[in-house]
Amino acid sequence: MVTCRRKDCFVFSLAPDHAEPVRPDTVTQRYRRLAIRNKLRSTRFHALRHYSATELLTGGVDLKTVSGRLGHQSGATTLRFYVAWQEATDGAAADTISNLIPRPELTPRWPHEIIAHDLRKAIADGTYPVGSSLPMNEDIRVRYKVATGTVSRAVHQLRDEGLLRVVSGKRPKVIAAPTPAT
């Protein structure tokens, strides 16, 4: 490998001393063939510029630095071309603020929500500890005066939350306690 120590050397060069640049259309053509062969979404060499700028911005590199690397005189030019980054960061900012705002505890309104809430509370307070089984669906149905499907819906909700293991023909088994709300 030849290392050029002069300031007038080129990174992309076919000359042994790196004194002559590769013609731009040569690089573009080679990249296009490589992209087609590897089934890349874009076959434009210029797309790499957009990709690297977007990755730098989403990776947390400040706008001024990215703008300078691209040769833009202002961040406004960079943002005009990389709006996708702006939208992604805006979404991340919205998620951050959303997670900081406390959410009120919603009171269950529908029968299956009430049953799920009561069972979740009973699991949390140890009435049904981890490893134990819930009462039979028929007992829950009678207690709440609801249809079997309503009980099943409540049990499946708790299963989806990771609290129960449900096997057809067996009583639901408690496999985890609910995590306290923060």
Side-chain angles (χ1 to χ4, degrees), residues 69-172:
R69 290 182 66 92
L70 295 172
H72 295 161
Q73 293 208 340
S74 75
T77 305
T78 306
L79 285 179
R80 192 170 38 250
F81 291 102
Y82 302 100
V83 174
W85 166 77
Q86 196 175 18
E87 291 169 358
T89 351
D90 185 51
D95 289 344
T96 301
I97 196 71
S98 168
N99 291 331
L100 295 174
I101 299 171
R103 290 177 177 79
E105 188 175 319
L106 299 174
T107 41
R109 292 181 8 175
W110 305 105
H112 75 277
E113 292 174 341
I114 294 168
I115 295 168
H117 173 74
D118 291 351
L119 290 173
R120 191 181 302 107
K121 202 161 94 177
I123 293 168
D125 71 16
T127 304
Y128 303 117
V130 173
S132 67
S133 296
L134 291 184
M136 293 186 346
N137 281 8
E138 180 63 21
D139 295 339
I140 298 170
R141 186 189 73 74
V142 169
R143 177 176 170 208
Y144 286 92
K145 299 182 177 113
V146 294
T148 305
T150 305
V151 176
S152 294
R153 191 169 175 189
V155 167
H156 284 95
Q157 180 179 335
L158 295 177
R159 178 202 62 194
D160 293 345
E161 292 174 17
L163 303 180
L164 301 177
R165 182 174 60 233
V166 179
V167 178
S168 183
K170 295 186 177 184
R171 290 174 25 198

